[in-house]
Amino acid sequence: MRFSVLFHSFGYLTQAAGVTLALSLAGIALGFVLGTLVCVARLSGRRWLERLGGAYVSVFRGVPLLVLLLFLYYFLATLGLDVPALVAAIGGLRLSSGAYQAEILRGALNAVPRGQGEAATALGYAAFDRWRLILLPQALRISIPPMINEFILLIKASSLVSVVGIAELTRVSMNIAAMTYRPLEAYVAGGLFYLAINLSLAGLGGLAERRAGIGAR
Amino acid sequence: MTHPMIAMRAVGKSFGAHQVLRGVDLEVQRSEVVCLIGPSGSGKSTLLRCVNFLESYDEGEVRIEGELIGWDLDKEGERRLMAPRRLREMRREIGMVFQHFNLWPHMTALQNVVEPLVRVRGLKKDEATGRAAAMLARVGLAEKAHAHPQRLSGGQQQRVAIARALAMQPRLMLFDEPTSALDPELVGEVLEVIRALAADGMTMLIVTHEMGFAAHVANRIAFIDGGRIVDEGAPRRVFHESAEPRVRQFLQTYHDRNAF
Amino acid sequence: MNGDVLLRYAPALLGGFGVTIACWAAGSALGLAIGFAVALGAGAPSRALKGLLRVYVEILRGTPFLMQLFILYAGGPSIGLKLSATAAGVVGLGLYSSAYFSEIFRAGFAAVPRGLIEAAMSVGMAPGDILARVRLPIALVAAAPPIVNTLIVMSKETVVLSIITVPELMYQMQTMAAETFTAFDAIFAMAVFYWCLVEVVSRLGRRVEDRATAFLASRP
Ligand SMILES: Nc1ncnc2c1ncn2[C@@H]1O[C@H](COP(=O)(O)OP(=O)(O)OP(=O)(O)O)[C@@H](O)[C@H]1O
Ligand SMILES: [Mg+2]
């Protein structure tokens, strides 16, 4: 292997890593809003809302992201939209991540001991305050590790948006491979960028976990 | 010259900096029943587990019928771990019953007993099954042979565990608090099985908190505290005339707790 | 959807379906085998081996599957490793999933209560027998649900193989779409297909789990 060829591409790759991060961040943030809504729907106690939320999770966890991305891409194109690629990319990540985050949040809420809510009720908290002050903070804390895990998964999944032509880490690696005729070095370099991002995230996750005292139990 | 079934000499054992056994001397003769009593954390389980080398000891010797278990001594007296195969051969002759039964959950009661007979004793499947069924009948569980452990009561599980150990035809049985995990009304059925074994002349070393049972079944009581055997002798003497204040205090606490 | 078009492409699509299932099965089988070996190795006393296997798992879990496929398929030839797209796809899927399977097996082995192993040791069972007769069956019970989950995840990952031109279902669909300009319909059909596949496999998986763990049913 000769990585010297790639020396000139380093800046290019760094930039692409930034795009990958930005895409994933957008996906996870928008997905969080969506996931919260779906989770609320699933716990709303209304039959049809619960069904709807369940169907959402089932569909968007069942359909592979690549299929979803292409679907959105062509769908938006048939609508005559101008920026199908970026919208499809972020939309796909968001829709998919929303389904996973809804499940994470639901799991976390279920993991808050029953007695906590009951104690709050017994102390005379209003329903809204009970949620805001007692249940949500605990659930969010419980959901930190799986959320970080989800972010790592999303960063990996974002490599698929290369198929709609967005210049993120995978696409750029492909371009470099094509330009330099050194596919092995190009893809290993791209892989190392992913690895660096994900290991840092995992490390940060461990840190946050210890901070929040989750490991202590 | 015949050797004692178990001979422990100056046995010491530490977990890190924490010394759990100190200079333990203990002998168990053939067909003898010795009960080991003492406060929680005093090292009873550790001592018992050194006998079949589930726990390795750091100092001293543990001999089973004269043969050192766990270690090989070379000419200079240096110790090296004994060959695993030889250790397994020795363990076959030592049955062990655990506080939490440790039955294999994916096998029926019968399969639990058959398994070691086939794998370790090398019996044919039907011969093993015959012996296992007989053994289950002996502990009063013939009709539970095809039940999985989860479907048995604690007392029944422990009796299966005893059958599993007995079927190997060991020369010696070790019991680590065999009734401590049982509901009070189930203790009797397990103790009854052990009592019958004693009557048959089985050599046994039993860790127990059942003082009445110990007084009745044991030839000898050994009291352990802080990793040392502090008193040892006939049940009557240890229970009623021990000069050792720690023994008296332990028994007093026991009586207070069990008085109505 | 246009019935004629579908009919015309039916053989190719059926073939693609077969390739998808075959890649999935072969890749997963490879992944299970490697993952099991890695988990066993991670339980060995050797520090160096443990560290090495840790690195293996972290690399495979820390990088996208697509990237690994590119390295294998496009990068392989420069170190003399020439694989067909399909072979690269199967090997890639096997390596990628092995990282996940090994973690599952590791957790499964860790979940075997120590006492059950000690019981086997106390009757003098040999390590191989203890592994085969006690540790493995119990570990598998703990591992069954996450294994099924990972199998489902991998069934979805097979779509990615189309990118390196493995002639699996997605690839055939795209070919059809390109030739007939029915992209929207084709991709919609794919979405429905995978959703059904995942639902069916999840349900089957739950059945198998129930079977495997029947003996753990609660006491009467
Ligand atoms: N594997 C181990 N690692 C570290 N310390 C241990 C280990 N096993 C036992 N110990 C310690 O050794 C001491 C003796 O333990 P042991 O289990 O032999 O006591 P015991 O007399 O059987 O108590 P109990 O009546 O509660 O069963 C305890 O302080 C215990 O914490
Ligand atoms: Mg104990």
Side-chain angles (χ1 to χ4, degrees):
Chain A
M1 274 195 260
R2 284 220 318 252
F3 283 97
S4 53
V5 189
L6 299 168
F7 191 71
H8 304 287
S9 314
F10 186 80
Y12 201 13
L13 278 170
T14 317
Q15 214 173 354
V19 175
T20 286
L21 260 176
L23 279 173
S24 309
L25 266 174
I28 197 123
L30 295 170
F32 180 73
V33 177
L34 195 56
T36 308
L37 288 177
V38 172
C39 176
V40 167
R42 292 198 77 179
L43 299 173
S44 65
R46 299 239 171 85
R47 213 38 186 308
W48 67 274
L49 268 177
E50 285 180 12
R51 287 261 172 85
L52 202 65
Y56 179 88
V57 170
S58 160
V59 166
F60 286 98
R61 289 205 310 179
V63 176
L65 180 60
L66 181 58
V67 176
L68 181 62
L69 281 170
L70 291 175
F71 179 83
L72 288 175
Y73 184 68
Y74 288 115
F75 183 68
L76 291 174
T78 53
L79 288 187
L81 278 181
D82 234 8
V83 281
L86 195 63
V87 176
I90 294 179
L93 293 177
R94 165 203 191 181
L95 287 170
S96 162
S97 186
Y100 287 96
Q101 291 191 58
E103 286 299 274
I104 291 173
L105 291 172
R106 195 166 69 106
L109 277 171
N110 283 335
V112 176
R114 257 189 102 75
Q116 296 285 330
E118 286 167 2
T121 312
L123 287 170
Y125 279 74
F128 182 69
D129 283 344
R130 194 175 70 217
W131 273 91
R132 191 170 60 92
L133 300 173
I134 309 292
L135 297 178
L136 277 184
Q138 295 193 53
L140 285 179
R141 182 180 299 186
I142 293 173
S143 66
I144 289 175
M147 279 297 184
I148 287 175
N149 191 40
E150 165 63 16
F151 191 38
I152 292 175
L153 288 174
L154 199 64
I155 285 179
K156 294 201 292 168
S158 74
S159 73
L160 293 179
V161 308
S162 59
V163 297
V164 292
I166 291 180
E168 45 65 77
L169 207 37
T170 302
R171 188 78 205 186
V172 166
S173 304
M174 291 164 79
N175 294 346
I176 295 174
M179 285 185 311
T180 59
Y181 298 105
R182 295 217 152 266
L184 183 63
E185 287 84 345
Y187 292 128
V188 168
L192 285 176
F193 268 85
Y194 278 110
L195 200 58
I197 294 174
N198 287 337
L199 288 182
S200 322
L201 272 175
L204 271 179
L207 212 67
E209 226 173 286
R210 254 169 283 136
R211 265 285 173 78
I214 291 165
R217 281 181 309 166
Chain B
M1 178 189 134
T2 68
H3 294 282
M5 189 61 82
I6 307 174
M8 304 181 87
R9 267 209 312 109
V11 171
K13 162 82 187 169
S14 300
F15 289 110
H18 178 28
Q19 184 153 22
V20 178
L21 295 178
R22 310 156 192 261
V24 170
D25 291 310
L26 181 70
E27 282 195 0
V28 179
Q29 303 299 331
R30 204 149 305 171
S31 289
E32 199 181 19
V33 177
V34 174
C35 283
L36 201 56
I37 62 174
S40 182
S42 56
K44 304 181 298 293
S45 297
T46 308
L47 188 158
L48 199 73
R49 291 158 59 84
C50 283
V51 174
N52 65 355
F53 210 67
L54 275 185
E55 212 74 78
S56 76
Y57 49 95
D58 316 322
E59 303 157 12
E61 299 183 340
V62 178
R63 290 181 183 276
I64 308 296
E65 295 194 296
E67 186 178 356
L68 192 66
I69 189 165
W71 301 103
D72 280 332
L73 298 181
D74 62 19
K75 288 186 200 81
E76 285 86 52
E78 287 291 307
R79 332 192 290 175
R80 243 179 312 123
L81 276 178
M82 132 188 273
R85 168 184 290 272
R86 183 70 200 119
L87 178 59
R88 292 203 296 275
E89 282 168 6
M90 290 188 75
R91 279 186 179 149
R92 283 180 208 172
E93 310 298 327
I94 309 172
M96 186 162 197
V97 174
F98 301 83
Q99 180 175 357
H100 295 285
F101 332 131
N102 293 348
L103 292 179
W104 301 308
H106 54 300
M107 300 181 192
T108 63
L110 188 69
Q111 287 165 340
N112 262 278
V113 185
V114 167
E115 184 65 24
L117 291 178
V118 173
R119 301 278 150 184
V120 181
R121 287 284 186 220
L123 263 56
K124 289 268 180 314
K125 194 71 183 268
D126 39 345
E127 195 187 348
T129 306
R131 198 200 281 187
M135 212 47 77
L136 284 176
R138 186 164 156 196
V139 297
L141 286 175
E143 79 283 9
K144 295 289 184 189
H146 299 291
H148 277 99
Q150 284 75 8
R151 305 208 154 266
L152 300 175
S153 73
Q156 291 169 333
Q157 289 188 55
Q158 193 60 297
R159 284 187 281 153
V160 174
I162 293 174
R164 177 172 70 184
L166 274 185
M168 294 289 289
Q169 300 181 330
R171 284 187 242 163
L172 155 70
M173 289 279 287
L174 308 173
F175 292 84
D176 190 0
E177 301 195 28
T179 59
S180 293
L182 300 179
D183 293 339
E185 74 269 23
L186 302 177
V187 169
E189 62 190 57
V190 171
L191 294 184
E192 196 44 56
V193 169
I194 302 176
R195 212 170 270 144
L197 276 176
D200 285 352
M202 175 62 80
T203 313
M204 294 189 278
L205 180 56
I206 305 172
V207 174
T208 184
H209 286 300
E210 298 286 332
M211 297 305 153
F213 166 76
H216 187 260
V217 79
N219 302 107
R220 214 144 37 85
I221 302 284
F223 180 89
I224 183 170
D225 189 22
R228 246 184 252 285
I229 293 187
V230 294
D231 199 4
E232 188 188 338
R236 178 176 293 277
R237 199 193 60 64
V238 173
F239 281 136
H240 300 293
E241 298 155 21
S242 178
E244 184 56 50
R246 273 175 290 180
V247 179
R248 291 198 193 171
Q249 193 198 339
F250 175 77
L251 291 172
Q252 190 57 49
T253 316
Y254 176 79
H255 284 306
D256 288 350
R257 193 163 354 102
N258 288 279
F260 281 81
Chain C
M1 216 166 160
N2 194 331
D4 283 355
V5 177
L6 256 192
L7 210 61
R8 186 145 45 86
Y9 280 90
L13 292 181
L14 267 180
F17 175 72
V19 172
T20 291
I21 298 290
C23 285
W24 178 31
S28 300
L30 187 65
L32 280 166
I34 301 176
F36 183 69
V38 169
L40 277 188
S46 158
R47 273 269 185 95
L49 183 63
K50 258 188 200 148
L52 207 68
L53 294 175
R54 195 69 241 151
V55 171
Y56 172 86
V57 169
E58 289 301 335
I59 287 181
L60 285 170
R61 292 202 313 175
T63 53
F65 177 47
L66 180 58
M67 217 58 178
Q68 296 169 17
L69 279 181
F70 281 149
I71 292 177
L72 202 62
Y73 182 60
S78 44
I79 50 167
L81 185 72
K82 285 206 181 72
L83 293 172
S84 71
T86 307
V90 169
V91 172
L93 203 58
L95 291 175
Y96 180 62
S97 62
S98 76
Y100 291 90
F101 285 131
S102 80
E103 292 290 277
I104 293 170
F105 282 124
R106 207 165 60 101
F109 280 129
V112 179
R114 181 79 198 142
L116 300 186
I117 299 169
E118 289 183 346
M121 286 163 67
S122 77
V123 292
M125 272 168 79
D129 285 336
I130 296 178
L131 176 63
R133 304 292 301 175
V134 178
R135 290 175 62 204
L136 188 56
I138 297 170
L140 279 181
V141 169
I147 284 180
V148 169
N149 260 337
T150 305
L151 284 174
I152 291 171
V153 171
M154 292 309 144
S155 79
K156 292 192 288 171
E157 294 289 357
T158 54
V159 189
V160 177
L161 300 187
S162 66
I163 299 179
I164 60 163
T165 70
V166 174
E168 48 77 73
L169 191 50
M170 181 73 179
Y171 180 85
Q172 303 290 9
M173 275 283 187
Q174 283 181 296
T175 312
M176 174 181 103
E179 287 168 11
T180 62
F181 307 103
T182 51
F184 186 80
D185 292 350
I187 292 168
F188 187 77
M190 283 302 290
V192 173
F193 168 80
Y194 269 99
W195 178 72
C196 290
L197 182 70
V198 166
E199 282 293 308
V200 168
V201 175
S202 313
R203 289 209 179 149
L204 270 180
R206 236 166 286 148
R207 276 264 187 86
V208 173
E209 269 165 42
D210 289 348
R211 269 282 179 79
T213 57
F215 68 86
L216 291 177
S218 58
R219 283 160 60 162

